[in-house]
Amino acid sequence: MLSTDFLGMKLKNPIIVAAGPWNRDGKALHRSIASGAGAVVTESIVSDTVLDVRPRIACDEMGVQNIRLYSDIQIEGWERELDIAKSDGGVVIASISAHTASELAYLASKMEKFGADAIELSVSNPMMESLEVVASHADVIYDMTKEVVSNVKIPVIVKLSQNTTNITKVAKAAKKAGASAVSAINTVRGILGVDLETAQPALSTYGGISGPYIRPMGLASVAAIAQSVDIPICGIGGVDSAKHALEYIMLGASAVQVGTAVMTKGSRTIAQIVEDLENWLDDHGLSSVDQIRGKALANMKSFDEMKIEPAVSTVQSVPCTENCDKCIASCVYGAISRSETSINVDEQVCTGCGLCTFICPAKKLRLAW
């Protein structure tokens, strides 16, 4: 039911554990595979390792800021780590990062030799301005991708950044250069927050924000790429449930990467997502994720295609949540009021913005015309 052919790699399911410190070495990668993932991505491998700063990870209820840069394992050490990771037949994608096309090609060739099943090019870094600039230039991405593709025989995936003015243009450049797929999105440059009593930021520099904060951006990026480029997509950003994975797949993703949830909730999250995904398909009478891939794209329109409909909020017969006035407080048009017995909508004042239909916890309000 969940088996997926992703770039010729036979995955038992479309859930991939993303690049990050949770996949820092062979043992960690092996744990991720054992958790039930269809594939795993190594922590980003570079030519010259750097020492970690401390602290380097901060989180709140909505996400994580991470300033760990790359793998601290030397290139040659990855031969052993990949052997450990693949000891039970797991599918391993090597994430690599570099500033030049030739350096990327060298790293890719090494990882192919060591047994990687595919390469993921990490061409952005929210802590480094130079790499973030690279991610915005389609011509540079083209040159880097083409050089790597020319030097390896395994699939090459280009990991795209949200911090660009036109992600579809970059995706097109990656495809033109011979990329087998793109993944989207990387973490987003940000600051998690500030302690008001000490005036201390969560971390003392800019970092990569991940988790639920960035899921809407990830979904939008995947949808835009799917509508613009005929190339497989791996969706990334804020996935911590089967629902989130399904959202990415319905917007065109062929596979979905999970990272932050593994860090904050543990590897058991993967098994739960896989189980819930299979149950959802079964409950809906579906035998394969292919049956829902891209299904939501048909309901996506450009802004220019949106019609001005005579829709207004209407009151349903379901009971209100006790002591709740959220719909009244949030209606910027003043169209909703409460009588002794019910919620009322003034249809002459309501403009059909739709906010109340999302605000109401009881789903008592819906748009109709």
Side-chain angles (χ1 to χ4, degrees):
M1 180 181 289
L2 295 181
S3 60
T4 300
D5 186 323
F6 183 57
L7 312 182
M9 298 181 290
K10 305 299 182 183
L11 310 186
K12 58 188 176 183
N13 62 67
I15 305 303
I16 299 172
V17 180
W22 46 85
N23 280 345
R24 64 190 176 277
D25 58 20
K27 289 182 179 179
L29 288 161
H30 192 271
R31 276 197 302 273
S32 291
I33 293 167
S35 72
V40 293
V41 186
T42 70
E43 189 168 26
S44 292
I45 301 162
V46 294
S47 298
D48 298 311
T49 60
V50 296
L51 294 176
D52 280 324
V53 297
R54 304 179 186 186
R56 56 184 174 273
I57 301 174
C59 71
D60 62 15
E61 67 281 357
M62 282 295 289
V64 169
Q65 181 184 350
N66 181 9
I67 57 173
R68 177 170 166 89
L69 289 170
Y70 311 111
S71 167
D72 54 12
I73 297 173
Q74 298 289 337
I75 298 172
E76 298 300 330
W78 274 100
E79 182 172 15
R80 175 178 177 274
E81 304 306 328
L82 289 181
D83 282 345
I84 294 170
K86 294 172 63 66
S87 60
D88 289 326
V91 177
V92 180
I93 301 167
S95 172
I96 60 173
S97 184
H99 290 268
T100 67
S102 60
E103 188 181 357
L104 277 172
Y106 170 75
L107 289 169
S109 297
K110 279 287 189 181
M111 295 309 118
E112 180 182 36
K113 179 182 176 182
F114 294 161
D117 297 287
I119 300 294
E120 183 177 79
L121 304 184
S122 182
V123 293
S124 68
N125 186 319
M127 284 77 78
M128 301 288 192
E129 293 284 0
S130 58
L131 276 181
E132 205 53 69
V133 170
V134 166
S136 300
H137 284 74
D139 55 342
V140 177
I141 297 300
Y142 174 85
D143 291 339
M144 286 183 160
T145 305
K146 188 173 180 61
E147 185 69 15
V148 173
V149 170
S150 299
N151 281 274
V152 298
K153 296 179 181 178
I154 55 178
V156 176
I157 307 163
V158 181
K159 189 173 186 177
L160 304 182
S161 170
Q162 172 67 20
N163 293 343
T164 179
T165 54
N166 192 333
I167 197 168
T168 59
K169 183 178 180 180
V170 180
K172 289 176 182 177
K175 179 186 177 181
K176 185 178 179 182
S180 302
V182 295
S183 52
I185 55 177
N186 203 345
T187 56
V188 176
R189 182 179 172 89
I191 297 171
L192 192 68
V194 174
D195 186 317
L196 301 185
E197 300 306 317
T198 64
Q200 180 66 37
L203 294 172
S204 298
T205 189
Y206 304 97
I209 303 296
S210 62
Y213 280 121
I214 72 168
R215 186 168 59 250
M217 290 179 275
L219 291 171
S221 295
V222 166
I225 295 166
Q227 289 178 323
S228 305
V229 188
D230 181 17
I231 192 170
I233 306 165
C234 197
I236 315 173
V239 177
D240 63 10
S241 71
K243 176 184 184 297
H244 301 149
L246 286 162
E247 288 175 335
Y248 274 103
I249 293 168
M250 285 187 175
L251 287 170
S254 296
V256 177
Q257 292 188 25
V258 182
T260 298
V262 173
M263 179 163 55
T264 58
K265 299 180 179 180
S267 59
R268 64 183 182 277
T269 299
I270 298 299
Q272 190 64 61
I273 291 173
V274 171
E275 180 183 347
D276 291 346
L277 182 57
E278 188 165 24
N279 288 339
W280 189 91
L281 291 173
D282 189 51
D283 290 345
H284 288 77
L286 302 171
S287 59
S288 169
V289 290
D290 292 335
Q291 294 174 266
I292 59 165
R293 182 169 296 114
K295 193 172 183 180
L297 286 176
N299 297 319
M300 292 288 296
K301 302 180 178 71
S302 69
F303 182 79
D304 292 338
E305 293 175 300
M306 297 292 289
K307 296 179 180 179
I308 301 176
E309 302 281 6
V312 295
S313 185
T314 59
V315 180
Q316 308 305 298
S317 59
V318 297
C320 280
T321 301
E322 190 175 353
N323 300 320
C324 176
D325 283 327
K326 290 181 177 179
C327 60
I328 298 171
S330 65
C331 183
V332 296
Y333 300 98
I336 305 176
S337 61
R338 180 190 291 278
S339 66
E340 290 185 5
T341 58
S342 66
I343 287 289
N344 303 298
V345 177
D346 186 336
E347 295 186 2
Q348 300 303 311
V349 178
C350 176
T351 66
C353 75
L355 175 61
C356 61
T357 66
F358 289 91
I359 288 286
C360 176
K363 301 302 178 186
K364 189 176 179 65
L365 298 161
R366 70 177 178 88
L367 289 186
W369 53 83

